[in-house]
Amino acid sequence: MNASRCWQETFDVLVVGSGSAALSAALRASAGGLSCKILEKTALIGGTSAMSGAGTWIPANYRAAAAGLEDSVDEALTYLRAASPSGWQETEDDLWASFVRAAPRALAFIETATPLRFALTREPDTMPERAGGKLRGRMLSPKPLSKWIVGSFAGKIRPSTLPHLFTYQEVYEGDLYHRPVRATLRVIHRLIWRVLSRSRAQGSALVTGLLKGCLDNGCSISTNARVVELIKDNETGRIVGLVADMNGTRKHLRGNVGVVIASGGFEWNREMLNEHFPGKLDWLGSPRGNEGDGQRMVSNVGGALAHMDQANVYPAIPTRYEGKLHGLPMIFQAEKHAIVVNRSGKRFASEYDFNIGVAVDQRDRKAGQPEHLPAWVIADSRLLKDAPPLGWYSRNDPNWMVRASTLHELATKIGVPAEALAETVARFNGFCADGRDRDFHRGESAWEQFKAGGANSALGPIDRPPYLAAPFNRSILGTKGGARTNMAGQVVRADGGVIPGLYAAGLSMANPIGTLAVGPGTTIGPNLTWGFICGEALLSETVARREQLAVHA
């Protein structure tokens, strides 16, 4: 479409979406003096970020330095290279370098420009044994904030399925999922104050703080504003604006400097999901508005898409959200008396591996179909005793958890070869007796020992009926494929050329880290950072264009 002259509104920057990447981009651009319009498709602000635990992986950050934890940009880059899948360095190395250089600055800027304050967690990198890995210092999460600070927007921040009354640290240090009563009582005085002050932590705090910063810097925000088309100037090839359906009215908005696509993933677009993630699916844990609008619009103007088969594949259990069944993120398979088996009744990964989603999503190279699915968590009666929330949430879907008095009966009910399942359980029970998992080394890595609560704490036999089974297929918290970008967040074409005026960040971009997480927070941390990178690039472009105009004048 050629550039229209009938603009209803004009801003320097138009930001599509309102999650952490979108708000970070708008915050950086507006703090630098650019006028910004944020367009959110749904009635609620915050997207997947608002629903998240807001674990935030930021290497070489100043909070870690203040705590005496050594880290550097070079070590972080070394770690990304060592921990990422084979072949990724060839295409992603420049983006990794851009990320690790910008991430510490992004965190410092956000804490300066907003009321957000982050605190370190105790978590290690997911693969700290790799070169450049760290046992602590790269993971943070925001402290609680009152929603009242955003005024009339307080009721528009997207609620979560997670308990955001607790901080990220309180959830894990208090072991909320295993000891909910004790974890609650130990911080009850804080919880009462948060209820009275309408304060929340995790993703709610993240979005509240970012939103407050954007509002303080004059950003205009519209909800129920679905962007349907990008407007390209046919003479220059530049993206100069967009078309949005805003509360039933179609409007043309101009972006003098640029448009940032940060509209989330495509997991709620059934056609796209089936194309890029064939096979069994359990739960989706993100807002239902994540339908791939950004990816579609980028493709329509000639932008290259990449990593469309990558996602945050994360364990989830059934809950209800907006009146419908929905996925609640929970690492429920990492329990002492539980294992995960594939359709053949065999184990295929360590159940405590943070990246077990990679194994679940493993595909046949020729057919592209999942190799292990359908998969199941197999446990004995101690599972529900050790993790009480599983029993509570399983009531949301009475068919989700299968029970049987014998392993043979359980295998028959779930369609797994009974003899193979019995052999797998017997072999695992033998490992428990020996104190070592000789197949997948469960509980031996630093991450797995952290998750299990210490060395030799991850193994427990499965021998007390009734036996339980729950599906363990793909659950997706957000796809990670989208617009291919350069180091500045600019969208590029298949030939590598830049589409001027078009940027992408967050789950709408081709995520340079992908499914394999290098830390528990390698969705939110990069999202914040790439939004920040886009904001800085927009400011640099503004300066360059003004200098160019001055020369011509």
Side-chain angles (χ1 to χ4, degrees), residues 48-381:
T48 310
S49 300
M51 298 183 70
S52 75
T56 306
W57 194 78
I58 300 287
N61 68 80
Y62 77 98
R63 292 273 180 199
L69 302 171
E70 295 184 0
D71 195 6
S72 68
V73 166
D74 287 342
E75 286 177 289
L77 185 55
T78 296
Y79 176 60
L80 283 170
R81 290 168 175 165
S84 295
S86 175
W88 277 58
Q89 186 174 345
E90 298 174 12
T91 58
E92 311 303 320
D93 201 55
D94 286 347
L95 299 181
W96 293 342
S98 182
F99 163 70
V100 297
R101 286 196 296 265
R105 294 191 299 110
L107 179 69
F109 165 75
I110 289 169
E111 289 203 340
T112 299
T114 76
L116 276 169
R117 297 295 179 268
F118 288 78
L120 294 173
T121 77
R122 297 184 182 277
E123 291 163 299
D125 291 338
T126 56
M127 295 167 274
E129 296 84 2
R130 303 287 180 95
K134 295 292 179 182
L135 292 173
R136 188 165 180 244
R138 290 172 175 167
M139 270 292 293
L140 312 97
S141 191
K143 295 181 179 181
L145 282 177
S146 171
K147 293 184 179 181
W148 294 126
I149 65 174
V150 293
S152 62
F153 285 96
K156 291 188 175 184
I157 295 175
R158 178 170 290 282
S160 177
T161 56
L162 295 170
H164 284 182
L165 200 60
F166 295 81
T167 66
Y168 187 98
Q169 291 84 349
E170 289 165 352
V171 168
Y172 289 96
E173 291 174 13
D175 201 5
L176 180 65
Y177 294 126
H178 293 103
R179 298 174 176 83
V181 174
R182 190 185 75 172
T184 299
L185 290 176
R186 72 193 294 246
V187 294
I188 189 66
H189 58 293
R190 300 178 194 167
L191 303 182
I192 292 172
W193 171 247
R194 288 171 197 162
V195 170
L196 294 174
S197 62
R198 203 176 180 181
S199 296
R200 296 295 185 270
Q202 303 183 61
S204 294
L206 179 67
V207 170
T208 298
L210 291 170
L211 180 59
K212 173 63 173 172
C214 288
L215 292 170
D216 287 348
N217 282 285
C219 292
S220 172
I221 303 171
S222 291
T223 55
N224 295 309
R226 180 174 188 171
V227 179
V228 296
E229 185 179 0
L230 297 172
I231 300 175
K232 179 192 286 188
D233 186 310
N234 287 340
E235 294 182 2
T236 64
R238 184 178 189 83
I239 302 302
V240 294
L242 53 78
V243 181
D245 288 332
M246 303 175 68
N247 290 306
T249 302
R250 180 153 290 196
K251 291 186 177 182
H252 292 67
L253 282 69
R254 181 175 177 83
N256 286 328
V257 181
V259 175
V260 180
I261 301 294
S263 51
F266 59 82
E267 60 274 7
W268 287 95
N269 184 316
R270 181 58 60 176
E271 183 178 347
M272 293 178 70
L273 194 65
N274 289 342
E275 177 184 356
H276 299 291
F277 293 88
K280 283 281 187 178
L281 175 75
D282 285 339
W283 306 106
L284 299 178
S286 61
R288 289 176 171 82
N290 289 8
E291 297 174 304
D293 294 352
Q295 288 84 346
R296 173 184 55 79
M297 290 187 292
V298 165
S299 180
N300 285 346
V301 295
L305 301 181
H307 299 333
M308 297 294 282
D309 61 348
Q310 301 293 299
N312 187 354
V313 181
Y314 196 87
I317 63 176
T319 188
R320 299 197 74 83
Y321 187 72
E322 297 178 334
K324 299 178 181 179
L325 278 173
H326 203 85
L328 171 69
M330 184 181 290
I331 307 177
F332 73 99
Q333 85 290 347
E335 295 293 336
K336 194 170 185 177
H337 302 281
I339 58 174
V340 175
V341 301
N342 61 18
R343 59 183 175 232
S344 300
K346 302 293 186 181
R347 291 175 70 214
F348 56 92
S350 167
E351 293 78 7
Y352 279 69
D353 184 352
F354 185 87
N355 280 300
I356 193 170
V358 175
V360 169
D361 191 42
Q362 184 175 317
R363 308 182 197 186
D364 177 85
R365 292 186 178 182
K366 292 183 179 179
Q369 295 294 318
E371 292 187 343
H372 298 298
L373 305 185
W376 299 86
V377 171
I378 306 295
D380 68 15
S381 59

Side-chain angles (χ1 to χ4, degrees), residues 32-64:
L34 300 182
S35 61
C36 293
K37 176 76 168 184
I38 299 167
L39 299 112
E40 166 55 45
K41 173 182 178 178
T42 72
L44 299 170
I45 294 170
T48 310
S49 300
M51 298 183 70
S52 75
T56 306
W57 194 78
I58 300 287
N61 68 80
Y62 77 98
R63 292 273 180 199

